[in-house]
Amino acid sequence: MFTRMMAQGIVTIIYTLEFAGLLVAALPRYKQKYYVPVKMLCSVSFVVIAVMFAFVSDHMQYFYMMLAPLVLCAVGDLFMGLYQIRSRRKHMLAGMIVFLLAHMGFLICFFRIDARLTWWNIFLPVVSLAAFFFVKRLMHLHMGRLAIPAAIYCVFLSLMLSKSTQYMALCPGLASGWIGFGGIAFFISDFTIIFLYFYKFRKPENRGKIHYLNLATYYYGILAFDISILYFAAF
């Protein structure tokens, strides 16, 4: 346990330094040149961290289940990073598709470790979908043809949230706690995206704040999934 906690602490410090670099790269003066490379450094890092934690803990079966969705997230980050720089809808659509596949991968993983289907797994996606369309209309979000893909994405995202939080509640422990935290942070991150990309801010600095919130919840949500590998011992 001490070795795992040491590995977690050291890696978290290094990861945080990389993330701080990403926040700097997201500044307007550096964004065009540095944002995508630094973003991909952080994204490749969370895949490498998963590999390291798997070898430290020897929880290989759980790691193998998490590996594909983590890699898909890194690929999705490339497309979303390119969209930030070039503002081409094809990059956003590609990113949404890849992240949808990533969410499906996480879902498969979470259903394999806890196959129970409860009312929570139905209630949360339904409420989230209703909230999505309510917020879209209330805030006058300009989604165009991406509205339906975004709604489908919302269903899978909220289903992943329901499974991660359900596992945290029904199987309390370090691993489930990190899985639940990761699911919540991931959900918050993707919720902020609809404002980041589809809402017209009156003050540009407010968009920057939302972007920082989006990055922080996403990258530390993924790190939480990585950390769960250290403590997951169900297989």
Side-chain angles (χ1 to χ4, degrees), residues 65-66 69 100-115 121 155-164:
M65 290 192 300
M66 294 289 281
L100 177 61
L101 293 174
H103 288 316
M104 293 174 67
F106 285 128
L107 268 175
I108 292 171
C109 177
F110 297 154
F111 268 109
R112 287 189 64 184
I113 62 179
D114 180 15
N121 306 131
V155 171
F156 281 93
L157 173 67
S158 54
L159 185 55
M160 186 197 73
L161 173 64
S162 75
K163 283 302 295 181
S164 62

Side-chain angles (χ1 to χ4, degrees), residues 22 32 42 74 80 100 111 117 125 140 151 193 222:
L22 178 59
Q32 193 70 30
C42 293
M80 300 309 284
L100 177 61
F111 268 109
L117 183 66
H140 304 288
I193 282 180
I222 292 288

Side-chain angles (χ1 to χ4, degrees), residues 49-228:
I49 290 170
V51 175
M52 291 172 55
F53 284 173
F55 281 98
V56 169
S57 64
D58 200 31
H59 298 154
M60 301 304 294
Q61 188 171 348
Y62 176 61
F63 160 71
Y64 289 138
M65 290 192 300
M66 294 289 281
L67 181 59
L70 287 173
V71 171
L72 286 169
C73 284
V75 175
D77 286 335
L78 175 61
F79 288 115
M80 300 309 284
L82 290 173
Y83 179 76
Q84 279 280 336
I85 301 302
R86 302 175 183 175
S87 298
R88 295 180 181 174
R89 285 294 178 96
K90 66 178 183 180
H91 290 142
M92 174 177 281
L93 183 59
M96 288 177 62
I97 292 172
V98 175
F99 271 110
L100 177 61
L101 293 174
H103 288 316
M104 293 174 67
F106 285 128
L107 268 175
I108 292 171
C109 177
F110 297 154
F111 268 109
R112 287 189 64 184
I113 62 179
D114 180 15
R116 288 170 288 189
L117 183 66
T118 68
W119 65 271
W120 180 241
N121 306 131
I122 299 172
F123 173 78
L124 192 57
V126 171
V127 171
S128 297
L129 187 60
F132 168 78
F133 283 108
F134 176 76
V135 171
K136 177 181 179 295
R137 182 167 183 172
L138 179 67
M139 304 301 292
H140 304 288
L141 302 178
H142 305 278
M143 292 187 169
R145 295 180 181 179
L146 291 177
I148 297 302
I152 296 171
Y153 184 89
C154 175
V155 171
F156 281 93
L157 173 67
S158 54
L159 185 55
M160 186 197 73
L161 173 64
S162 75
K163 283 302 295 181
S164 62
T165 52
Q166 173 184 297
Y167 184 63
M168 177 176 63
L170 299 182
C171 305
L174 281 174
S176 63
W178 284 112
I179 289 172
F181 175 81
I184 294 169
F186 214 136
F187 183 85
I188 294 172
S189 173
D190 280 358
F191 179 76
T192 63
I193 282 180
I194 64 175
F195 295 98
L196 185 62
Y197 294 141
F198 303 114
Y199 181 71
K200 292 185 177 180
F201 290 93
R202 294 180 181 178
K203 296 181 179 179
E205 59 268 23
N206 290 337
R207 187 179 188 277
K209 293 175 183 177
I210 293 295
H211 190 200
Y212 287 152
L213 176 62
N214 167 262
L215 292 173
T217 49
Y218 171 71
Y219 277 101
Y220 282 94
I222 292 288
L223 180 62
F225 286 154
D226 281 348
I227 294 173
S228 72

